[in-house]
Amino acid sequence: SEYVQNMFDCLCTLMLLPPHQIAFGKAQGLELMIRMMRQRNFSSPLALRLADHATRHCQVNCQIFVEKLGLPVLFPFFMKKGPKTKSKAEAREQEEHVTSIIQSL
């Protein structure tokens, strides 16, 4: 579990540079994140956070997110029908990522 979280942290750090964002989108990274969010297991909040970082200020990835049907997966998180969070802080962080993705689109 900790290893997976560290990997997602590294990927989120890579998303700070626009060329890495575009490469992530072209390598079907967003499609994988949408699938992981759809599964609603322990990795779905991590996938949500990475999708947020990948779509931030990157219109190419925003277009990919919409085309690959990311919105039907995203809105249950927005309506708080996604996986249950352990604490209020996690719920607030998850809500921030959802609103950030919507704002980016």
Side-chain angles (χ1 to χ4, degrees), residues 12-104:
C12 286
T13 304
L14 284 173
M15 294 303 113
L16 295 175
L17 298 172
H20 294 161
Q21 286 179 321
I22 294 170
F24 184 74
K26 287 182 180 178
Q28 299 177 348
L30 278 173
E31 293 177 47
L32 179 61
M33 294 307 106
I34 291 168
R35 267 191 243 139
M36 292 174 83
M37 287 188 285
R38 191 174 287 135
Q39 289 177 355
R40 297 186 181 173
N41 56 15
F42 82 97
S43 64
S44 59
L46 300 172
L48 176 67
R49 182 169 55 114
L50 184 54
D52 173 22
H53 286 283
T55 56
R56 207 173 280 170
H57 307 295
C58 184
Q59 292 302 315
V60 174
N61 283 349
C62 291
Q63 186 68 30
I64 292 170
F65 189 81
V66 172
E67 287 175 358
K68 300 302 177 185
L69 303 176
L71 292 177
V73 176
L74 184 67
F75 280 109
F77 284 97
F78 188 67
M79 302 290 290
K80 295 185 174 44
K81 293 182 180 181
K84 301 299 178 199
T85 55
K86 295 179 183 175
S87 67
K88 288 186 179 182
E90 287 180 4
R92 208 173 353 189
E93 182 181 340
Q94 189 172 344
E95 187 176 324
E96 285 179 19
H97 290 304
V98 170
T99 55
S100 177
I101 291 173
I102 293 171
Q103 184 263 334
S104 295

